[in-house]
Amino acid sequence: KELLNQARRADKERDYEACLRAAEEGLTLNSGHTELQRLQSRSRQRLEQMRRMAQLLQDARAEIEAQNYAAALKALDSALQLDGSNTEAAQLKQKAQEAWERQKRLEGLLNNAQRQLKAGQFEACLESAGQGLALEAGHALFKELTVEAKRQLELRRQIGEGLKRAAQHLAKKEYQPAVEAYDSVLKLAPGQAEATEGRQRAQQALQRQQRLE
């Protein structure tokens, strides 16, 4: 009877290891005792549930650390199926869900920024990269994209200024300065179509002017 009382008390206090020890010891004395059998079975189930819960939480923490948020959420869903009131599992799930949403947002912004840079949409690239850096200030790829987009915008500005300067010289029939202006553009962007064609026109006009002189 003392062992039965110990098992009952341990069960009430949720000390399932102590409950299992008392129940098993009691069953060695009376193997057919129904309540001890029930307490033994219940304790084993609870201990297995606790072991499983501890393993799932450990797995989830490791997956969060590795930024494998989908796997972490899967483990935490299993944990909450075991015990829907487990506070740690609920908190970890919220943390993993928020981190996963953030990760997906970063990936989307990175894809956009890379695509925009490739398409020559440098202002849009800067905007996407800026949003990415607002989420993660030290993100190396967003920093690289920002630097490259700014470089390309500056290059575009310099090319535009060079073409404008060359066109002004052409309008004034200042062919040698026009050729030089187009050359400055082609130095920045070899093969640039407008500069290549403009230089050819300016060079031909310069040669005609020199023959007339």
Side-chain angles (χ1 to χ4, degrees):
K1 188 172 181 179
E2 177 60 28
L3 288 170
L4 177 59
N5 287 336
Q6 287 179 18
R8 286 171 176 170
R9 186 166 55 250
D11 179 62
K12 187 176 181 180
E13 294 172 355
R14 298 185 179 182
D15 185 352
Y16 298 115
E17 290 183 356
C19 180
L20 182 60
R21 285 196 302 271
E24 288 182 339
E25 188 175 346
L27 287 169
T28 61
L29 301 173
N30 182 358
S31 62
H33 195 290
T34 305
E35 187 175 357
L36 285 173
Q37 289 175 343
R38 181 184 63 79
L39 287 167
Q40 179 193 49
S41 175
R42 174 184 168 86
S43 296
R44 284 176 175 170
Q45 288 175 1
R46 289 287 189 269
L47 286 169
E48 174 57 25
Q49 184 181 37
M50 289 166 64
R51 184 201 65 77
R52 176 67 176 150
M53 176 65 75
Q55 184 62 54
L56 286 168
L57 291 176
Q58 180 181 328
D59 291 347
R61 285 190 291 267
E63 296 293 2
I64 290 173
E65 182 68 23
Q67 298 185 3
N68 297 325
Y69 300 117
L73 287 168
K74 184 177 179 181
L76 291 165
D77 282 339
S78 297
L80 289 167
Q81 285 176 2
L82 278 179
D83 181 4
S85 64
N86 187 283
T87 305
E88 184 179 0
Q91 290 174 343
L92 281 174
K93 182 176 181 179
Q94 182 178 355
K95 178 181 178 181
Q97 188 69 50
E98 290 173 355
W100 195 27
E101 291 298 328
R102 179 173 169 277
Q103 184 185 65
K104 288 190 289 186
R105 175 70 174 147
L106 282 169
E107 288 174 356
L109 287 168
L110 182 59
N111 288 336
N112 286 344
Q114 290 172 331
R115 175 178 51 77
Q116 288 157 347
L117 183 70
K118 188 174 181 180
Q121 299 168 346
F122 305 124
E123 292 89 348
C125 176
L126 276 178
E127 176 66 22
S128 296
Q131 290 178 26
L133 288 170
L135 288 174
E136 187 174 321
H139 198 292
L141 289 177
F142 283 126
K143 286 183 175 181
E144 290 175 11
L145 287 164
T146 298
V147 169
E148 181 59 19
K150 286 181 176 179
R151 189 184 73 81
Q152 291 292 343
L153 282 170
E154 176 59 19
L155 182 63
R156 178 182 285 177
R157 185 192 66 78
Q158 291 178 11
I159 289 171
E161 287 185 355
L163 291 172
K164 182 180 178 180
R165 191 166 58 251
Q168 290 171 344
H169 286 307
L170 271 182
K172 296 176 183 179
K173 298 184 179 180
E174 298 169 350
Y175 301 121
Q176 184 60 45
V179 169
E180 292 170 1
Y182 283 125
D183 281 341
S184 70
V185 171
L186 289 168
K187 186 176 180 180
L188 292 171
Q192 206 274 347
E194 186 177 347
T196 301
E197 294 170 6
R199 188 191 188 285
Q200 186 176 3
R201 290 197 308 272
Q203 184 67 43
Q204 290 171 349
L206 177 61
Q207 289 172 351
R208 286 195 300 273
Q209 186 182 67
Q210 290 172 340
R211 283 198 298 271
L212 289 173
E213 292 174 353

